[in-house]
Every structure is written in structure tokens, then in C-alpha cells.
Amino acid sequence: MTTAPPPADTAARLTGLVRALRGHGLRIGPAETVDAAAVLDVLGFADREQMRAGLAAALLRSDTQRALFDATFDLFFPLGVGTPEAVRADPPALPDDPRPPRPGRPDPLRDDLRERLAAALAADDRAAQARLAGEVVEAFGRYGAGATPASDGWSAHQALGRLAPETLLARILAALREQATAPDLSDRVLADEIRRRIQDFRALVATEARRRVAELRGAERIAERAVAPTADRIDFLAAGRDQLAELRRTVHPLARKLATRLAARRRAARGRIDLRRTLRRSLSTGGVPLRPAYRLRRPARPELVLLCDVSGSVAGFADFTMLLVRAMSEQFSKVRVFAFVNRTAEVTALLARGDADPARLAARILTEAKVMGHHGNSDYGSALGEFAERHLDAVGPRTSVLILGDARNNHRDPNLDALHRIAGRARRVHWLNPEQPALWRTGDSATAAYAGVVEMHSCRNARRLGELIARLLPV
């Protein structure tokens, strides 16, 4: 049962939630905020999960935003404040020395919590798991000056590192089999279910630690710094394997949205002014050309060439962009894709038959296409030179070229002449760089040299990539 906060506090929490969600890029206007207030007025605070669902329905526009919303909601409308009642009633016996015991020495508190957690996970008891999450954070999550009650903060990573719940998998599986309470499933399927429960418990611990830190530092500050962004705002260069997989799931929705925008721009695009018809129209307004007439444009879809660095950390950026362009291929009369590390090879056919496993696209390119010479380091000058010598026929007056990469050339010759040749034949050339602009002139980056020849754009996440494609590509 959740006690309703005072009306003034409720308004502050709701507006704080909205501000935090806006800070993460969600488009929430006054109308949605008023709707959310009406939801709180109707649903009340008796059922917290019902309140969560109602606010999500009022404020969100996409299911992909739900994870961000849930984490932020837990900061502004927490289940409780301070130390949970279950922990206050039966607090864990905190050791005199908060440091973890040396390897080989017994740790009774840790062993007791692991035993109880194994039983709760085996029974899939969510209430018990929530109580244990509070106990685990209380026992192992403090950090700061002596890890006292006036602690500097709380760390889910530290608490989970001490508890190591992932090592309970074999124990829980064996217990379920011995008790004959496990469903009639194979060990592999059952193990996957137990891993899911462990992952859910880790999320409970993370939520509890964030809630406690928010009480110390402020909910809006923690919402800004400690809540994971939506998939389209994840930095390409910082994305892990799971985040890249989540990004790939957004390819087709983003492609449909961009295709709609490009088609609308194409329909609305006008040709040059028809001077004769404009002057004729102006006769009705005393010779003032208030309504200019335009020549009808012949509809023609542009050609697109992608030139992608598939080395190192930028491979995820190139991978996502190639998949996106493939999903949008109907918007272009011709699409050709070239990949490189220090040699350039066309991978258009490889991309076309890559539906079976898009997650391994970059790896397949590295193994099946000749994109590397005698070494595996990036060499933009050599790659651009090979493209200009062997594949320049792919570029024509109707072609837009997108070059994808961080322009880190390992202090080799940038070969600006080759880039000049490409730019001289293409309709437009844009360079999309996944690094933040503050790093463009550091280390072995040749960004400054290349930016003097073609337009260089910062493109750190999927949202920015979509904006650039919709704005830069011709219609």
C-alpha cells in the first residue's frame, strides 16, 4: 500500500519526472503533463503499479521509451524512503570492518543472504527478492567515509560484486530438480529462466541503490546521470553488445519514419521558377509577383554510395548505418556500399544477403571481403585512394556519398587528393563522424584535414543519424 504524498509534493514529483524525461529527449508537452495529473487524480496512490502504467500511457509515445520511464519513475515515485521497513525490522548484521573479507575466510552475512536469495529465486518469490535487494544494498552497498550511515553514497555494482548472484545458477537448478518442483523443461530452457530471474534481481538492487542515492543527491540529478538513455540516444562508440543488439531492433521503425519524411520532401519539392507563368499571374496583382509559378520537377530518386570504416569501435556505427540504408533502399534509385579498414571492397551483395544474421554483419565483412592488407590498422588515405582508383565509376552527378568513420588515420598520409576526386564527381559528399567534436583534433585524427574538403558532421547516436539522413540527403 502506497501512502499518498501531500498535493504540493505530488505536483513537484510529477513536474520533476516530466523534466527528467525531457532531459533524456522524450517529447512531452503541457498537454501530456496535464493528462498525467488527471491520471494521478483518477487512479490515486493505492496501487503503485497501476499508477505507473497510467502515467506511462499519458506521457510516452513508444514502447521503446518504457525502460527509461520505469527507471525514472522509481526515482520520483519510490516505493518508500530511507531504509525499507523490512530491513529496519530485521537489519542485517553489518560487520565491524566494511571491507570484504580476504579470500578463503568465511563471510556469514554473505552466505546467509545467498542462501535466502537462492530460495527466493527458486520459488520466484518477487516480494522476498525485493526485501533481499534492500538488505543487500544495506549490507554491501555503502561507500564513502568509513561506509557509515552518513555514507557518501550507495553502489549496486559493489553490492552485487560481493553477493555474486550469477554464481547461484547451478545451486538453484539442482534444488529445483531435487525437489521435483521444476516444470517439465529441458535444463537449457530452465537455466535460461533462472538467468532471467537473476537479471531481474540485479535490476531490483540497482533500483534500490539509485533510490537511496537520489535521496542524498536529488532525484533529478540522478535521473540525468544514472538512468540509461533510450536506444536512439546511446553513443555508438560506448555501446556494448546488448545495447548494439537493442539498436538493431530500432532499424526498421527508424527506416520507415525516415522513408516517410524523404517521400514527403520529394512530393513537396519544387523546381525552378517559371518566369513566364509568374509574370502572367502577376497581372492580376498589379504586376507584383505574389504567387510565383514553378516548373514541374521530374521525379527522380537519388543514388547513394556508402563508404564505411568497419574497424575497431566504429564497426558498430557502420553496421547500424548499413542496415538502416538497406532498409531504406527503396528511397534511392541505386545504393552501393563499400567497406574498408586499409583496403576498399564493395559489400553491396554481402549486405543484400545478410538478413539471416544482421548482428554479425561487420564480422562477415571482415572475413569475407578484402578490406585489410598486410596489417589491421585503419588507413583512410590508402582506402580513399583505392576507392578513387578502382570504384570511382560508382559516383556520378546524381550520387550522394556518405563517408562513415572517425578519421583516425594512425598518422599516415590522409590522401586529400583522392577525397577531392570523389567530391569532384559526386553531387554531395558528407562525412559522418561518431566521435564527439572535442576529440576531432586530438591524437592521430585527420578530421581537420578532411573537414577542409567535405562537410564533417558529428553523429554520435541513432537519433542524430536519423536527423542527418533526413536533412542532408537530396530528394
Side-chain angles (χ1 to χ4, degrees):
M1 182 73 70
T2 303
T3 303
D9 187 48
T10 300
R13 289 176 184 274
L14 178 59
T15 54
L17 172 65
V18 170
R19 279 196 300 269
L21 294 174
R22 286 175 179 167
H24 280 279
L26 273 63
R27 296 180 179 178
I28 301 175
E32 289 84 1
T33 307
V34 171
D35 289 343
V39 165
L40 289 179
D41 185 51
V42 171
L43 296 181
F45 297 83
D47 189 330
R48 182 168 176 266
E49 292 307 311
Q50 186 181 56
M51 179 177 65
R52 181 200 300 266
L55 289 178
L59 297 175
L60 304 186
R61 302 186 182 188
S62 169
D63 290 341
T64 59
Q65 301 169 345
R66 185 58 191 263
L68 169 65
F69 171 84
D70 284 340
T72 310
F73 173 87
D74 288 331
L75 294 176
F76 289 92
F77 293 91
L79 187 59
V81 294
T83 304
E85 292 182 5
V87 179
R88 290 198 300 267
D90 187 16
L94 298 177
D96 295 332
D97 185 354
R99 293 173 299 179
R102 294 178 180 177
R105 291 187 178 181
D107 187 348
L109 176 58
R110 174 178 180 271
D111 294 341
D112 175 63
L113 288 173
R114 282 171 57 84
E115 288 291 340
R116 291 161 57 197
L117 176 60
L121 291 173
D124 198 17
D125 187 341
R126 296 286 295 180
Q129 293 172 37
R131 291 193 297 270
L132 282 167
E135 292 187 45
V136 169
V137 173
E138 181 74 20
F140 302 137
R142 297 178 187 269
Y143 69 86
T148 62
S151 173
D152 287 347
W154 304 85
S155 169
H157 178 76
Q158 175 179 296
L160 291 168
R162 289 283 299 275
L163 191 67
E166 60 277 356
T167 61
L168 296 172
L169 173 63
R171 182 188 303 183
I172 298 172
L173 185 60
L176 289 176
R177 291 304 184 198
E178 289 178 1
Q179 297 169 7
T181 59
D184 187 16
L185 299 173
S186 68
D187 284 352
R188 180 176 179 180
V189 175
L190 188 56
D192 288 342
E193 170 62 18
I194 296 172
R195 290 190 186 95
R196 182 194 63 77
R197 297 179 187 179
I198 293 174
Q199 191 64 30
D200 289 346
F201 176 76
R202 294 178 67 91
L204 289 174
V205 173
T207 299
E208 174 66 15
R210 275 199 305 269
R211 179 190 67 78
R212 295 192 181 202
V213 175
E215 292 180 5
L216 296 174
R217 303 283 184 262
E220 292 197 28
R221 182 179 180 185
I222 301 306
E224 176 186 357
R225 301 187 178 186
V227 174
T230 53
D232 62 345
R233 293 174 68 90
I234 295 173
D235 195 320
F236 284 120
L237 299 187
R241 183 177 61 182
D242 293 340
Q243 291 174 318
L244 286 175
E246 186 176 359
L247 267 176
R248 293 186 189 99
R249 288 193 289 271
T250 68
V251 163
H252 289 287
L254 179 58
R256 288 194 297 269
K257 182 184 298 184
L258 293 178
T260 301
R261 290 181 183 175
L262 290 176
R265 283 180 56 200
R266 186 174 294 116
R267 289 192 300 268
R270 296 174 175 176
R272 295 180 179 180
I273 289 180
D274 188 326
L275 184 58
R276 178 179 297 178
R277 291 172 57 209
T278 300
L279 291 177
R280 187 177 299 166
R281 283 184 180 181
S282 69
L283 295 177
S284 63
T285 55
V288 180
L290 296 179
R291 296 185 301 118
Y294 297 89
R295 298 181 186 274
L296 295 178
R297 294 179 74 251
R298 178 178 299 176
R301 295 179 179 179
E303 299 176 359
L304 182 64
V305 167
L306 286 186
L307 190 55
C308 311
D309 181 0
V310 293
S311 65
S313 60
V314 297
F317 168 51
D319 180 10
F320 179 82
T321 308
M322 286 187 284
L323 291 172
L324 178 62
V325 169
R326 182 185 66 182
M328 294 177 58
S329 59
E330 292 183 357
Q331 297 301 311
F332 307 98
S333 61
K334 182 186 297 184
V335 176
R336 297 183 67 177
V337 183
F338 299 83
F340 68 89
V341 175
N342 47 63
R343 294 190 60 187
T344 302
E346 183 168 6
V347 295
T348 307
L350 182 61
L351 187 66
R353 65 174 188 269
D355 294 322
D357 188 13
R360 291 186 52 80
L361 175 60
R364 290 200 308 274
I365 289 175
L366 289 174
T367 55
E368 299 180 32
K370 295 180 180 179
V371 295
M372 287 188 289
H374 299 296
H375 59 86
N377 299 323
S378 296
D379 186 343
Y380 281 77
S382 176
L384 291 172
E386 185 171 1
F387 180 85
E389 290 296 329
R390 298 180 54 193
H391 306 290
L392 200 57
D393 60 331
V395 180
R398 294 177 51 204
T399 305
S400 290
V401 179
L402 294 182
I403 303 175
L404 315 177
D406 58 5
R408 294 204 169 269
N409 203 34
N410 291 294
H411 302 290
R412 294 183 170 87
D413 177 15
N415 197 353
L416 298 182
D417 290 339
L419 187 57
H420 274 291
R421 292 177 61 188
I422 298 170
R425 285 180 59 94
R427 180 179 180 181
R428 295 181 183 179
V429 178
H430 299 285
W431 193 305
L432 307 185
N433 193 326
E435 278 194 336
Q436 54 181 312
L439 301 176
W440 283 3
R441 297 178 183 271
T442 63
D444 60 350
S445 176
T447 301
Y450 290 130
V453 181
V454 299
E455 292 185 63
M456 185 80 64
H457 304 274
S458 176
C459 186
R460 299 178 59 188
N461 54 52
R463 173 170 294 193
R464 176 62 174 165
L465 175 63
E467 292 172 353
L468 288 173
I469 288 180
R471 178 168 60 88
L472 298 178
L473 292 184
V475 294

